Amino acid sequence: MKLYHTPYSSPSRSVLMTIRCLNLDDELEIQIVDSLKGENETLEFLKLNPLGHIPVLVDGDVILSESRAIMTYLVNSRRPGCSLYPSDNRKRAVVDSRLYCDACGLNIQLFAAFVS
């Protein structure tokens, strides 16, 4: 697996924390992408994610570029039923609600504060 990562991105750090919680470090190659230098706008990177967003996970022929999708993919593919993303529908619904809350509210507000 290869993770295109930037340390100052909260979505990217969330993916890295998930990888570490699942003990997948030994399967991982980290490629630091410096978006402040425009490294996420190169043709090579845009082939992976045309939007230029970080993080991106490449796992064989699977390429994912949304942090929440990456995190759920990792649990489902490497540690199904793990408490990070439980198989019980009610428990999973609680996790999903937290993921979507972050996507629709918290992360947007953090980004706005960062760029202002």
Side-chain angles (χ1 to χ4, degrees), residues 15-34:
V15 170
L16 193 55
M17 285 190 303
T18 301
I19 287 167
R20 291 189 172 146
C21 285
L22 296 172
N23 296 314
L24 300 174
D25 296 82
D26 59 333
E27 297 180 38
L28 182 68
E29 175 188 346
I30 296 177
Q31 175 68 49
I32 301 294
V33 178
D34 190 340

Side-chain angles (χ1 to χ4, degrees), residues 9-78:
S9 160
S10 58
S12 192
R13 287 192 318 271
S14 296
V15 170
L16 193 55
M17 285 190 303
T18 301
I19 287 167
R20 291 189 172 146
C21 285
L22 296 172
N23 296 314
L24 300 174
D25 296 82
D26 59 333
E27 297 180 38
L28 182 68
E29 175 188 346
I30 296 177
Q31 175 68 49
I32 301 294
V33 178
D34 190 340
S35 59
L36 297 176
K37 292 181 180 177
E39 293 176 359
N40 60 316
E41 297 173 2
T42 65
L43 289 177
E44 180 183 346
F45 188 83
L46 293 173
K47 287 179 185 177
L48 297 172
N49 181 2
L51 297 175
H53 295 170
I54 306 163
V56 173
L57 179 77
V58 178
D59 184 22
D61 61 349
V62 174
I63 300 173
L64 295 171
S65 58
E66 205 294 315
S67 62
R68 290 148 201 91
I70 294 169
M71 291 184 289
T72 57
Y73 166 79
L74 288 170
V75 174
N76 288 330
S77 66
R78 297 302 201 286

Side-chain angles (χ1 to χ4, degrees), residues 81-94:
C82 173
S83 63
L84 289 177
Y85 201 60
S87 53
D88 177 89
N89 285 332
R90 289 179 184 229
K91 291 178 181 178
R92 183 174 280 195
V94 172

